Structures are given as C-alpha cells and as structure tokens.
Amino acid sequence: PVIGPLRSSPIVHRIGSGQAFNSIVSQDVPDSIRIRPLVPMQPPQLQFRYANMCTTALSAAKNNNNNQNNSDDEKEDSETDSSGGPLAKLTAPIRTAIAALLALLPQPVQDFLTTVSTKFAAIFPTLRVAVASFVVGTVLGVGAILYPVYESIENTPEPVMLFETILSDLDRGYVDKVDTNKLFETGISAMLKSLDPYTEFEGRQEAEELTESVSGQYGGVGLVISGALRKELPAAAVDMPSTSATTIDEKSSDQGQGSKLLPQDAIDDNLRLNEGSSDTNLDTTSQQPIVYDEAVLDSPDDDDDTLAEKAEQRRAIKRARENGIRVVNAFEGYAYDYGMRVGDKLLAIDGRRLSDTNTVEDVRNMLRGVPGTFVDVSFLRDGVEGETTVSIPRTVVQVSDVKLATLLGKAEDGIGYIQLSGFNANAGREVRTSILGLQRLTEDATGGSKSLQGLVLDLRNNPGGLLNSAVDVASLLVPQGSDIVSAKGRGFPGVLYRSMERPILSPSTKLTVLVNGQTASAAEIVSGAVQDLDVGVIVGADRTFGKGLVQSVDTLPFGSALKYTVAKYYTPSGRCIQSTNYAEGEGPNSNNGGKYRASKVADKDMKTYFTKHGREVKDGGGVAVDFKVESEKTSALEFTLLRTGLFSDFASKWSRENQLTNNLDIVTDSTYQKFKQFVMERQKEGDIQLDAVYSGPIDNLKKALTQSGYKGTSKELEQLRASLIKDIERDFEKYKKEIKEDIGQNILARYLPESMLLEIGIKRDSQVQAAVELIRDETSFNTLLGRVGDETSNGDGGKPVANDGLGTVIASNSDDIIEGDTHFHIVFLGGQDIPSRTKN
C-alpha cells in the first residue's frame, strides 16, 4: 500500500481529470529506473499498482548497481558509513534501492522513518540479546514441563496399547458379544488388587457412594433397605450411603462386613494373620448376599452333595423373594418421623408396584430424587391390617456419626458416654456439641456444683474416615500445642498436625476410650493420640485393627475415581500402628493369581516408643489397650441365628401375634421356648443349618475323602455333623442370656428409635460398665497413665517424643487451619501443599 495520498506526492502528476492514468512520469528518480506505462484501472486499484511500481524500481536499481565497479562501491560505502545514518550497515545495492524508495516518499514521512530506523539500529544489539534470552528461556521452560510427560508417554505406550488392542479384538471378534466396560473394570481391578486391599477403582456409582460416605450426607428420605440381589449388584442397604446392610439388632462384636473404608479383604487378612487373638473368634467370610440372577437347575452329573446344595439355594431364593425389600433402619428426623419402621415390607413407590424382579438398587433410585419433592411409600407392617402409605419429603439427609450421647447412671455422677461410629466431615462438630451438652446436663443436675467427671468415648467397630476429622476430634481432647498425627509417603508431602486450641474437655475429666478389633484408621489416630499423650485410658479386649495407611481419592474422567494408598501415618510418639505388611503381587502365574502379598509384622520387628509420661508402647500392631476387659463372645449358635436372619423373622412373627406394652422386658421364658421351637422347625425344613459355621470345612473334607475312595470315613463325618448339631442345640441353654437380649432388641427395633435401642444396650454392656468403674477409681486410673502424686491434669505441659521419621519441623512455613469449629496447626515438612482430597 502507498504511504500518503497520491495527490500530494511530489513525483506523480495526474494526466487528465477524472480519468484513468495513461502513464506516470517520475521526478527525482535516477535515469536507470524505467517505468512501464500502466494499463487503465480504477483509482483504488492504482494504489496497489503503485506498490508494484516501487518493487519494480527496487529490482531495477539492484540490477543496475550490481553492474558498477568495485571502486564505486567502496566509495559509496565510505560515504554512507561516515554519515552514520540508518543505512550504514546495509549492503550497497540494498542501500541504494532503499534510498531511491525513500526519495519517492513525502519529506515528513522520510524524516519519521529515518528517526525510527536510527533508534532501532542503536538498540538492536541489546534487543537481540533480550529476544534471544526470551526464546531460550521459553524453550527450556516448556521442555522442563513437557519432559516428564514425554518420559511417561515414552515408558508406557506398550502396555497401554496392548490393553486397548486386546479390548478391541475381543469386542470385534469374540465368539459371543462381550461388555468391554466390564472387561475394562475387571482388568483394572485385578491390577490394583496386586497392591493392597485399599487401592481400588471406583466406577461412577461407587465413586458417588464413597463421596457420600465421607461427606456424611446424601439426597434421600433416610431409609436403609435390604433384599435379595441380582448377581451383578453389590450387597447393599440402599437409600443411605453405606455399602452393607447390617441389622440394628446385631450387637457390638469384633466382626463386621467390609466397607469402602475397611474392605472385606483387609478384614480377612487381619483375621487370618491374627488367629488366636482374644478379640476375634469367628470367621465372617462365609456371609454372602443372596443372588437370584439365574435359575439354580440340577444336572445329571451332580452328586448328592451338589444336589443338596442347589436345593438349599432354591429355598434361600424363595425366602428372599417372599421377604421382598425390607426396611433395615429408619433415621430419626427423617423417615422414622414419618412413620417408617424396621421390618416394613415395601410394596410400591409413587404408586409403582414392586415385584420380585425389583432389586434394592431399583428401589433406591425410586426413593432418591430432587430435595424438596415428595415420594409416596406403600408398605406392609407385621401386626397391622392392610397396606399403609405415607408421603415422605426428599431432603439432604445428614448421617450423624454420633449415634448416642448420654449420661450413664445417675446424672449427678457426671459420667458421659459418646458412641462415635465414623469420621465424616462433621464428626468434630458433632463430638464438640455432644461434650458441651453432657457438661450442661451435669451442671444442671448438680446445680452447677459439678462439671463432667468422666467421659467414655466408644470407638468400637468404627472403621475410620477423614484424616482431618480425626484431627478435629483429637483436638477436643488433647493439650494445646500437642502433636496429634503426622503422615509421609513417597509422593506425599511430610505433614504434621498439631492442636492449636485448648481442649474443651476439662483437665479434671477422666477420659476412657473403648476400642476393639474393628476400631481402625481415623479411630486409631484418636486412640493413639490419647494414649501417647497420656490424657486417657484405652479400654478393650486386645488391640485395635492396625490400619496405619492413608488413602487419597483422585477424580477420573466419566465420574469415576481412583482410591489408592499414598502414605503411612504416625502417632505423636512416632510409631506407625500398621499391623499388616503389603507387598506387590508376583504376577498372574503366582500361587495366588497375582494378588498382593500380606504378612504380619513380626514381634521382633516391633519397635518400642514412649508416651508423654514414659510408658512403653510398640508399633506394628494397632493400639494395644491399657486396661483389658474381655468382650462377650459370640457363640456359633448366636452367630448362625444372626447371619440367617432368624431373629428378625421371629420378631415379625411376634409382632403379628402380640402387642407392645410399657414393659420393655418382653422376652419371657415362654417367649424364649417359642423362639427355640421356631428355630428347630426351620432346621427340620432345611431352611437353615445350625452347623453352618462349620459345614463348609466338613463338606470340603467329605468331598475330598469321597474322591479318594474313603467312603467309610465320609460316613463318620456325617456322624460328626449330627453330634455337632446336638452340641450347638445345647448352646440354647448355655447362651440363653445373650440370645434373649438379641430377641428383645429385634422386637423393640420395630417400635423404638435407634438411639433408645442403643441406650438400652449399653446398660448391659460389660465393657462400658468396666470403663465407668475405672473412671470412679481415681487411683487405678492415674496409675495406668503413669501419673505421679496428685497429677490429674491433661493441660498444656510436656511435648511428646518427636517423630524420628519426619526430620525437623519447619515452623516458618506453617499455616493455621480452621476446620469446622476446631483450630489446629499443620506444619509442612519441605514446604509442599497437602493434597486436598485426603482420607484415612
């Protein structure tokens, strides 16, 4: 384009007015430049044609100057160089051409371009260095960022490509149609199972349930339901975010079903590696949900034992379909307040009738919905004529971790009890509220003369939860400035949690913590801090579970997630209480199919640490109790009755035939005899096997003997089975007290809220009563904690032994964090940020 209007150019004259140019006559241009005549064109196009003319002039000037002799070039170079102008550093032909072009421009434009080019020439060396530095820095920075990605891609393409190719080949060419999504999840699950039981891939549904379980809230109506399942569905109670359905009557025991926080594989490993422990006495691995995705048909090749087993499966399926979808629990403040009760059989949701093909998952989806909407639930209740329908609002259900907070014994004694079942996001706030409430109740009962004298914190069967929530709870109990827990891992920043506020529990309040073999993870963090800082006594039968690992949950595409182990945690004394060593599997050709290898931490490998008052504690095996109180053993008979649901079935029968009165002691000797008769009838009909706990090993041995030709010995096994059943039947008298309590709890669960049932139960709990007696015995209490003289304070003295595995605490890069209502201190070791999605 032309710079400036053509009309004002000193070298261009228009020939004719309002007409096209026939030619352009040049002034002040060397004779060597020849201008061609222009073809007639419109004025706008002329500007671009003029630019072409300039290009032609430049080319002609260059060609002409190339023909000059060397002496002229040197002379011209000398002249232009001495002028110091902007063209000084250009070659002679280019300088000549540019000078010619500049001469074509108006004088003001020439001056402007000359000034700009002069300044540019002056700063060009500096600018060249700056640009070069910027380019080099950019290249190095981008390279540093992308190199790890490149290395990762470079090192992983082969297995990734193989996996994708195999899935594609199977999807395209396998003899039958396959579900590649299931194949993918199976492959991923097998891969992760080679590491440890806590590392898992979570599909969309599982990821949602995990989020709900740690957040402690979900959208629904507040029901826990259970029923028979199709084979591909997980065992579940459904409307709430838990992953297993346990009946409310099942008393505290040291066994439990697996969950996302404490998988069944981890429980099985713990039982297997700790055989003989006084705190675990029955194997629960045989508990399986009833499935009915396909018919159980006999085959001509089946032997007698197989035929009997299939017949039993068909009976179980029939019973499951008859039972339908039942209510396991109704939360107070939600479905319970709208009339739902344990044992109710669901018939319809919003008018849609349920059939035996509807699973608990189907019903769950029907019950859930947008908060603020209503759902009509029709159900059948034992002892009530006809069908009942209630309308329940859907809302954000807050699942409370504190199941019960009450005063034990006389209110003026001031001994409180808190049952904490988990560590979701609100656990710290709930415990704080409970402690303050118990303190007010004591002050009201004594006219302000006494505050809370003792507290029993029940962490039995608590599988853990969020690491931050464990710190919240511990901060309410331990002295200000105390280290609570630290964690470190290969890719996890070393982090130390420290309480930065005074505990709300008075220094004069005696604290006992109840634990058992199912106290795990975050619950062990609280137990370990209380023990290491000597602020309370740990009471129980033996040791806690021994889970000293921290998991992180990373969000993946398509709503899925990866939960994997990232670190180990350490109590204030510096010990890690992880009881099981996990090692990566040895591949698919190994004896266990590539599954992770688990081994118990050997006694010789356990190190000794010291509490604040100098008491010895050891790592590698959970938190050992300070005050040992044996738990009530679950007999084989009681365990079978619980597992088969006979307590619940009898409660249904009782409700149809009786009415509840103000007398809650409802299980008389007559009622007990009716229950015994009910069980024996079911035994004769083949609905249950009283020897179910032992039938598996006996059946396996019988098959092995039969295949080996020892038929006579197999007959002796049948005699052993009959003798065993008689011994179990005698347990009806031996364990009469415990079985009567189970019957009563199952019946009352159909009428009373959960909190009342728990309050009734703890009055008969021997470990709770032992903890209360210890609180009343100040001398024994102080002796167990190694306190000297009149020392009873859990105040601000004494720093615990430093964690020798984490190095020096860097206080200068620490941050004060506020979590809920509890202030605590996080000290980062190495100046890194802690991952935000950390759970323990």
Side-chain angles (χ1 to χ4, degrees), residues 2 184 216 245 257 321 373 394 522 599 836:
V2 177
F184 170 80
Q257 291 179 307
R321 286 175 171 169
T373 61
R394 295 184 177 100
S599 61
S836 60

Side-chain angles (χ1 to χ4, degrees), residues 29 105 171 207 246 259 284 320 408 516 527 540 557 639-640 678 754 786 805 836:
V29 178
L105 301 177
D171 185 37
T246 55
S259 66
T284 62
L408 300 174
N516 65 5
S527 304
F639 179 77
T640 301
F678 175 79
E754 182 182 12
S836 60

Side-chain angles (χ1 to χ4, degrees), residues 60-224:
K62 182 176 180 181
N63 293 334
N64 181 65
N65 281 290
N66 285 337
N67 296 328
Q68 295 182 7
N69 56 45
N70 292 336
S71 61
D72 292 338
D73 291 340
E74 293 175 358
K75 180 178 179 181
E76 188 174 357
D77 290 344
S78 176
E79 291 175 355
T80 53
D81 290 343
S82 62
S83 66
L87 308 179
K89 296 185 179 181
L90 300 176
T91 59
I94 296 178
R95 287 198 302 272
T96 302
I98 292 178
L101 290 175
L102 288 175
L104 297 174
L105 301 177
Q107 189 60 41
V109 175
Q110 294 184 37
D111 296 340
F112 171 76
L113 293 178
T114 300
T115 302
V116 170
S117 61
T118 301
K119 292 183 178 180
F120 179 80
I123 66 172
F124 180 74
T126 303
L127 184 62
R128 179 173 56 188
V129 173
V131 171
S133 300
F134 173 77
V135 172
V136 171
T138 301
V139 172
L140 292 177
V142 173
I145 295 172
L146 296 181
Y147 181 74
V149 179
Y150 169 79
E151 282 291 301
S152 175
I153 296 175
E154 189 71 15
N155 293 333
T156 58
E158 183 175 340
V160 172
M161 290 176 63
L162 280 174
F163 192 78
E164 181 181 2
T165 302
I166 291 171
L167 279 179
S168 178
D169 289 348
L170 292 174
D171 185 37
R172 183 181 63 255
Y174 188 72
V175 61
D176 296 318
K177 184 175 178 59
V178 296
D179 188 335
T180 53
N181 290 330
K182 288 184 178 179
L183 287 177
F184 170 80
E185 291 190 11
T186 301
I188 294 298
S189 297
M191 175 182 71
L192 300 180
K193 196 171 285 292
S194 69
L195 300 176
D196 64 56
Y198 305 103
T199 298
E200 298 175 312
F201 170 77
E202 311 289 351
R204 186 189 302 272
Q205 178 180 324
E206 291 81 5
E208 291 176 356
E209 291 176 353
L210 180 61
T211 300
E212 290 172 353
S213 68
V214 298
S215 66
Q217 62 184 27
Y218 70 101
V221 297
L223 279 179
V224 186

Side-chain angles (χ1 to χ4, degrees), residues 45 158 184 295 390 454 504 545 631 692 695 761 782:
Q45 296 172 305
E158 183 175 340
F184 170 80
V390 296
I504 67 169
F545 187 86
S631 59
S695 61
N782 290 335

Side-chain angles (χ1 to χ4, degrees), residues 222 224 240 246-250 328-333 336 340-342 399-404 419 421 745 748-762:
V224 186
M240 68 169 290
T246 55
T247 55
I248 197 170
D249 63 276
E250 191 166 340
V328 176
N329 195 4
F331 293 161
E332 297 174 64
Y336 183 90
M340 299 298 296
R341 295 294 182 268
V342 172
V399 183
S400 177
D401 280 336
V402 174
K403 299 301 181 183
L404 178 64
Q419 184 182 104
S421 63
Q745 285 285 90
L748 293 177
R750 296 167 180 265
Y751 303 95
L752 305 179
E754 182 182 12
S755 58
M756 289 187 65
L757 293 173
L758 292 173
E759 194 164 1
I760 293 172
I762 62 173

